[in-house]
Amino acid sequence: MKIIVTGGAGFIGSHTVVDLLENGYEPIVIDDFRNSKPFIIERIKKITNKDFVSYNFDCGDIKKLSSVFLKEKPDAIIHFAADKAVNESVSNPLKYYHNNISTLVNVLSVVNKSKVKSFVFSSSCTVYGVPKKVPVSEFSPIQQAFSPYGFTKQIGEQILSDFAKSNPGVSISLLRYFNPIGAHPSGLIGELPLGVPSNLVPFITQTAIGIRESLIVHGNDYDTTDGTCIRDYIHVLDLARAHVLAFSNYLKKNNKPLILNIGTGKGSSVLEVIESFKKVNKTNLNYTFGPRRDGDAPCVYANSSLAKKVLGWEHKFSLEDALSHAWEWEKQLSIL
Ligand SMILES: NC(=O)c1ccc[n+]([C@@H]2O[C@H](COP(=O)([O-])OP(=O)(O)OC[C@H]3O[C@@H](n4cnc5c(N)ncnc54)[C@H](O)[C@@H]3O)[C@@H](O)[C@H]2O)c1
């Protein structure tokens, strides 16, 4: 079975390509490396000892995408390619509307003319905004987005819901990720933030290795156990697995998307993540407290029971595993 993976050299895409190869699928990566590096493709081959096809172009380019679809005749597509920095989306919203919305529309117009039977979309728990109740289930209300990035995920879901109505032959899964962290246990692939990371764990690992002087913890006066924000951190390999299960288990004809939360169901505070990182990796970490950031919800974690029911998916890795794997990856990066 041939699966097009847009953004397959990125953080989540690369781990999904590993899972696909290890489970006998034939991934075809399309990535223009705007937020990743070509060496990741070689690393995936090294981890799996398997070869696969990859293309370097902007997947919003309909002409190039159509010719790849004609040549490869894919059965399914996992669409990761998007820009993802929340802060940047506030300062440069058009970049996000262009890449996260126009590109999606272009990809769908090619899918529309193909024999693709399954489409998996990277959505996000940001669609829930600041939830009134936790854990958050798929039936929790969608709240107004705080950033253009969050809004692009809401619009993306709407576009795919409309697309599903007129294309019942394509089964669509919208996976709402909570907070992906970690890396492959080999330390060969992981998150590669270009510039200052906006996510907690790469900021922690870059501080621990000495790239950054100190980690700023944004807010310690929230109404949570220790005053810092609580999030649901999910190992990227567990998340990758959910994609593979989504397109392989959900090949039913349907005129509406399958929407699933992908999280562990356990919330951890920023301070708990820091303490866990120090303990599991036997290292020190400088951090200071700074002001709250606009739009940060105090506490978000998932109810993922639907993913278990529909896909048989459950997370396997712990927070400690993820922090240890992320540290291995950071150490390998430093000697590149
Ligand atoms: N990492 C997170 O915290 C998180 C959380 C929720 C949702 N998501 C979503 O998951 C998806 C993957 O995230 P990630 O963390 O792996 O990001 P990433 O930036 O590491 O990977 C995205 C990949 O897509 C490529 N890309 C982007 N636009 C492209 C285009 N037009 N044509 C070809 N290649 C393109 C980039 O070069 C990169 O390799 C994104 O849609 C993101 O919004 C991520």
Side-chain angles (χ1 to χ4, degrees):
M1 199 169 172
K2 285 187 168 185
I3 323 292
I4 295 245
V5 186
T6 71
F11 174 42
I12 306 165
S14 57
H15 292 82
T16 305
V17 174
V18 167
D19 193 313
L20 287 168
L21 288 163
E22 284 174 346
N23 285 286
Y25 295 101
E26 225 180 298
I28 298 147
V29 168
I30 302 174
D31 201 306
D32 62 4
F33 304 108
R34 71 181 69 190
N35 200 39
S36 53
K37 298 275 184 210
F39 77 79
I40 295 293
I41 299 290
E42 297 317 309
R43 295 280 182 95
I44 297 172
K45 291 178 183 171
K46 190 169 174 189
I47 290 171
T48 58
N49 203 18
K50 289 191 174 147
D51 204 1
F52 61 94
V53 179
S54 66
Y55 294 92
N56 176 353
F57 67 86
D58 178 344
C59 64
D61 182 330
I62 294 195
K63 256 180 138 177
K64 287 187 182 157
L65 195 63
S66 302
S67 67
V68 169
F69 269 63
L70 270 178
K71 184 171 173 217
E72 304 288 354
K73 300 184 180 42
D75 302 286
I77 171 161
I78 308 178
H79 182 54
F80 290 108
D83 291 312
K84 64 167 180 178
V86 174
N87 291 346
E88 187 193 39
S89 79
V90 175
S91 58
N92 192 356
L94 292 186
K95 176 177 175 188
Y96 282 71
Y97 291 128
H98 181 71
N99 198 29
N100 296 12
I101 303 298
S102 306
T103 300
L104 170 65
V105 173
N106 287 354
V107 170
L108 285 175
S109 57
V110 176
V111 168
N112 205 18
K113 294 187 194 123
S114 74
K115 295 210 160 56
V116 160
K117 288 182 193 59
S118 186
F119 188 103
V120 185
F121 177 67
S122 301
S123 191
S124 163
C125 66
T126 54
V127 299
Y128 299 115
V130 178
K132 293 203 171 61
K133 259 177 46 188
V134 283
V136 185
S137 87
E138 292 81 355
F139 306 102
S140 301
I142 301 292
Q143 311 259 15
Q144 190 181 1
F146 268 99
S147 66
Y149 168 75
F151 193 39
T152 65
K153 292 298 173 191
Q154 293 180 344
I155 303 172
E157 288 199 358
Q158 184 60 50
I159 290 171
L160 283 157
S161 299
D162 294 338
F163 182 83
K165 283 183 201 140
S166 58
N167 292 276
V170 185
S171 73
I172 293 176
S173 312
L174 313 179
L175 302 188
R176 292 180 178 159
Y177 312 160
F178 280 65
N179 293 70
I181 61 166
H184 194 268
S186 62
L188 289 172
I189 56 171
E191 192 166 2
L192 195 63
L194 304 178
V196 182
S198 48
N199 289 342
L200 175 64
V201 172
F203 214 115
I204 289 180
T205 56
Q206 289 195 0
T207 306
I209 207 114
I211 298 171
R212 320 237 158 247
E213 214 169 281
S214 177
L215 166 77
I216 299 166
V217 177
H218 297 283
N220 60 346
D221 56 353
Y222 287 98
D223 185 16
T224 58
T225 36
D226 59 23
T228 65
C229 287
I230 291 177
R231 293 289 178 272
D232 185 335
Y233 295 96
I234 171 95
H235 196 296
V236 64
L237 282 178
D238 283 326
L239 180 55
R241 192 87 278 273
H243 292 79
V244 180
L245 292 174
F247 78 76
S248 53
N249 282 10
Y250 194 67
L251 283 167
K252 300 180 209 136
K253 287 195 173 187
N254 207 331
N255 62 358
K256 61 178 189 182
L258 172 70
I259 302 178
L260 294 176
N261 282 345
I262 307 295
T264 66
K266 181 177 177 289
S268 305
S269 75
V270 176
L271 286 181
E272 280 167 350
V273 175
I274 292 173
E275 287 314 315
S276 210
F277 178 83
K278 283 163 50 180
K279 193 169 164 203
V280 74
N281 295 312
K282 301 181 180 55
T283 176
N284 270 331
L285 192 75
N286 291 330
Y287 66 89
T288 53
F289 292 109
R292 293 180 176 198
R293 284 188 305 200
D294 280 351
D296 266 349
C299 178
V300 188
Y301 59 94
N303 174 339
S304 289
S305 52
L306 198 57
K308 182 172 180 195
K309 193 172 153 202
V310 180
L311 302 181
W313 176 89
E314 275 183 296
H315 78 282
K316 270 191 353 211
F317 293 98
S318 65
L319 176 68
E320 290 73 20
D321 295 330
L323 294 171
S324 142
H325 298 156
W327 183 229
E328 277 314 308
W329 160 243
E330 186 68 60
K331 285 191 287 185
Q332 288 234 11
L333 264 185
S334 68
I335 50 167
L336 260 186

